[in-house]
């Protein structure tokens, strides 16, 4: 891949925005498939562009095995896992999509996510169950493939998924027939346990054709026999959310316990479609002349609220505030009622000072929700 990189650059034209971002930040290649390191993933969700121009470095089987041997078990997880692993890890494209989903899920949604993986309902997730839903992830994404040269798209699928098949099939293992696409379409439309269980029987074929990754070893052990319970799954998701927020916060705090209100505004407005961010920043500077600072607890509570944005939107519509602007007390109460998150008065006041452009101490509900949905999804609606 490294040698042929110039020939493969035009594959970018056939990739979706998410695929393009993955290819741009990925730095490793093994048997034709691209992988991110944990460091690459953190860079991809906290920066607009990679810090350095990357060439995909080819991993040997021995190097990959060594990386996986050093992967800690799930019970040793922490909110510094990705930073501690740094370059010693491999993350596939489907796992990249899974991790992105975690970043935008409310804590109440962690149980739903776990139950979707727990296809046999035994309160534990094994490797086969995890791989089955990864495969569904993959097929859903494949439906969005851009039209064009079939050979180029096949090369792109090899890079992202590690397989060479046409778009009319799922996976071809040695000596096996192709699984028809309609089977997966039926599965996607139904959540019946019978269908999930039926598909789980095929997971051995999926597993045997894919290389192990850092996440698979972290969750299911080096032999792939361990099972994941809800507590460990919840802790992993919560730790990942915390780690990314810590990294963003620390990038502005310079070792201090707070970031400035202006820095908070910069972070909020990143990845949004706001064209004239300077007007928001200038508005805030004029209205908060004395800097008090935003603590990490305040910072984290606001992003927990953003992960519950859909519930907040429903609550606002129920209270019929959607057609008019709202004040700080109404906003704070609606956030707590809808999400259970208590925002500090200073944080709410700062948010209002950023987004209250006409300075009437009221927040335009529709404009705020629109901007925050962009920020929540980091530019990828």
């Amino acid at each position: 891949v490294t040698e042929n990189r110039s020939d493969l650059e035009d594959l970018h034209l056939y990739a979706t925005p998410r695929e393009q971002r993955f290819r741009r930040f990925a730095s490793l290649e093994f048997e034709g498939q691209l992988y991110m390191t944990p460091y690459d993933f953190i860079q991809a969700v906290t920066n607009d562009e990679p810090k350095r121009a990357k060439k995909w470095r080819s991993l040997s089987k021995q190097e990959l095995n060594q990386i996986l041997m050093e992967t800690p078990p799930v019970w040793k997880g922490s909110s510094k896992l990705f930073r501690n692993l740094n370059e010693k890890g491999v993350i596939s494209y489907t796992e990249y999509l899974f991790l992105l989903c975690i970043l935008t899920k409310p804590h109440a949604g962690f149980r739903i996510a776990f139950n979707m993986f727990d296809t046999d309902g035994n309160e534990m997730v094994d490797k086969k169950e995890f791989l089955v839903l990864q495969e569904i992830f993959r097929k859903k994404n494949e439906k969005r493939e851009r039209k064009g040269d079939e050979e180029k798209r096949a090369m792109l699928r090899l890079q992202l998924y590690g397989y060479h098949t046409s778009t009319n099939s799922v996976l071809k293992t040695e000596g096996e027939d192709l699984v028809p696409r309609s089977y997966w379409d039926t599965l996607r439309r139904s959540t019946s346990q019978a269908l999930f269980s039926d598909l789980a029987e095929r997971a051995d074929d999926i597993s045997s054709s894919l290389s192990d990754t850092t996440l698979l070893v972290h969750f299911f052990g080096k032999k792939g026999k361990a099972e994941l319970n809800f507590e460990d799954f919840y802790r992993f998701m919560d730790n990942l959310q915390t780690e990314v927020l810590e990294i963003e916060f620390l990038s502005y705090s310079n070792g201090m316990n707070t970031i400035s209100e202006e820095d908070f505004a910069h972070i909020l407005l990143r990845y949004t479609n706001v064209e004239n961010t300077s007007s928001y920043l200038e508005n805030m500077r004029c209205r908060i002349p004395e800097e008090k600072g935003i603590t990490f607890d305040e910072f984290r509570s606001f992003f927990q609220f953003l992960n519950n944005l859909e519930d907040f939107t429903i609550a606002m519509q129920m209270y019929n505030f959607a057609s008019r602007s709202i004040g700080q007390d109404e906003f704070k109460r609606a956030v707590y009622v809808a999400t259970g998150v208590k925002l500090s008065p200073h944080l709410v006041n700062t948010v209002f000072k950023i987004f209250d452009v006409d300075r009437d101490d009221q927040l335009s509900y529709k404009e705020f929700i629109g901007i925050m949905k962009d920020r929540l999804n980091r530019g990828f609606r």
Side-chain angles (χ1 to χ4, degrees):
V1 170
T2 305
E3 293 174 0
N4 297 330
R5 186 175 179 111
S6 59
D7 297 333
L8 296 176
E9 284 300 329
D10 61 342
L11 292 185
H12 232 50
L13 301 174
Y14 298 91
T16 65
R18 281 200 190 279
E19 291 170 347
Q20 290 172 1
R21 191 165 185 83
F22 179 83
R23 293 178 78 249
R24 199 159 62 244
F25 281 87
S27 62
L28 299 177
E29 173 268 329
F30 178 70
E31 295 184 348
Q33 185 173 356
L34 299 183
Y35 294 91
M36 282 181 166
T37 65
Y39 174 85
D40 295 333
F41 175 76
I42 292 297
Q43 289 293 306
V45 296
T46 58
N47 289 291
D48 297 325
E49 295 291 335
K51 285 192 173 179
R52 56 184 182 267
K54 294 209 172 172
K55 291 186 177 179
W56 299 316
R57 182 172 73 84
S58 291
L59 277 180
S60 67
K61 183 69 174 174
Q62 183 179 2
E63 287 175 314
L64 178 61
N65 287 340
Q66 184 60 37
I67 286 173
L68 298 178
M69 281 294 293
E70 296 175 9
T71 300
V74 71
W75 54 271
K76 284 191 175 181
S78 74
S79 63
K80 289 184 170 57
L81 175 68
F82 281 63
R83 282 171 283 186
N84 290 339
L85 289 172
N86 199 4
E87 302 280 5
K88 293 183 178 180
V90 289
I91 297 168
S92 70
Y93 177 63
T94 50
E95 289 170 343
Y96 167 69
L97 296 179
F98 166 64
L99 295 173
L100 286 182
C101 276
I102 289 177
L103 292 181
T104 60
K105 288 290 172 287
H107 285 186
F110 289 2
R111 169 57 77 174
I112 296 170
F114 181 83
N115 288 345
M116 285 299 292
F117 283 108
D118 179 21
T119 55
D120 61 8
N122 72 343
E123 293 293 308
M124 302 290 282
V125 171
D126 60 30
K127 185 177 178 181
K128 287 201 299 184
E129 289 174 320
F130 186 77
L131 287 173
V132 164
L133 285 191
Q134 271 205 63
E135 190 67 8
I136 295 169
F137 233 150
R138 178 166 85 175
K139 292 312 297 175
K140 182 178 180 182
N141 198 65
E142 190 178 90
K143 277 196 163 187
R144 299 170 180 161
E145 279 190 341
R146 298 190 174 176
K147 303 299 181 186
D149 187 307
E150 177 56 36
E151 182 181 350
K152 292 283 175 60
R153 285 193 290 128
M155 292 169 70
L156 184 62
R157 284 195 294 276
L158 174 63
Q159 281 190 349
L160 297 174
Y161 304 114
Y163 74 107
H164 264 309
T165 62
S166 72
T167 51
N168 293 323
S169 61
V170 174
L171 184 66
K172 190 172 184 178
T173 54
E174 192 173 343
E176 292 267 337
D177 291 330
L178 296 175
V179 182
R181 187 185 206 19
S182 59
Y183 184 92
W184 293 90
D185 288 341
T186 302
L187 175 63
R188 205 168 58 80
R189 287 193 300 268
S190 172
T191 55
S192 91
Q193 275 197 5
L195 271 177
F196 273 123
S197 300
D198 184 37
L199 183 58
E201 294 174 5
R202 302 174 186 266
D204 285 329
D205 298 330
I206 298 170
S207 179
S208 65
S209 68
L210 299 174
S211 299
D212 268 342
T213 63
T214 297
L215 274 191
L216 290 176
V217 172
H218 182 61
F219 287 156
F220 308 110
K222 295 175 176 62
K223 295 182 179 179
K225 302 297 184 183
E227 293 183 316
L228 190 65
N229 62 36
F230 176 68
E231 288 72 25
D232 287 336
F233 185 71
Y234 183 102
R235 194 181 310 114
F236 173 81
M237 296 177 79
D238 185 49
N239 281 337
L240 179 62
Q241 288 187 356
T242 300
E243 181 161 14
V244 170
L245 291 176
E246 282 178 353
I247 290 168
E248 289 192 298
F249 185 86
L250 291 170
S251 68
Y252 283 89
S253 70
N254 297 317
M256 304 299 286
N257 292 327
T258 62
I259 59 174
S260 70
E261 287 81 359
E262 185 172 341
D263 288 338
F264 179 64
H266 275 292
I267 294 172
L268 281 193
L269 294 170
R270 286 180 70 191
Y271 309 112
T272 68
N273 290 326
V274 174
E275 294 179 0
N276 188 17
T277 58
S278 59
S279 63
Y280 287 92
L281 296 174
E282 183 59 34
N283 184 54
M284 194 211 61
R285 288 189 203 105
C286 293
R287 305 189 67 196
I288 308 181
E290 292 187 13
E291 185 179 301
K292 180 180 177 183
I294 303 292
T295 66
F296 180 71
D297 285 342
E298 289 176 317
F299 183 78
R300 189 182 186 201
S301 69
F302 185 81
F303 282 92
Q304 286 177 334
F305 152 63
L306 282 193
N307 285 347
N308 287 273
L309 199 60
E310 292 301 326
D311 289 340
F312 173 74
T313 303
I314 293 169
M316 296 300 288
Q317 290 168 343
M318 293 281 287
Y319 280 103
N320 199 29
F321 289 148
S323 59
R324 61 183 179 86
S325 297
I326 58 171
Q328 292 192 27
D329 289 341
E330 292 171 320
F331 178 81
K332 192 163 60 173
R333 182 170 182 271
V335 169
Y336 180 68
V337 168
T339 70
V341 176
K342 286 187 176 181
L343 301 182
S344 72
H346 174 60
L347 183 65
V348 172
N349 182 56
T350 302
V351 170
F352 268 64
K353 295 301 185 282
I354 295 170
F355 293 100
D356 175 21
V357 179
D358 60 7
R359 305 189 182 188
D360 63 352
D361 208 28
Q362 299 281 306
L363 195 67
S364 168
Y365 160 84
K366 287 184 178 178
E367 183 179 12
F368 173 75
I369 292 293
I371 294 173
M372 288 301 95
K373 279 186 176 178
D374 274 340
R375 179 57 180 84
L376 174 65
N377 292 291
R378 297 175 182 271
F380 291 112
R381 280 291 189 96

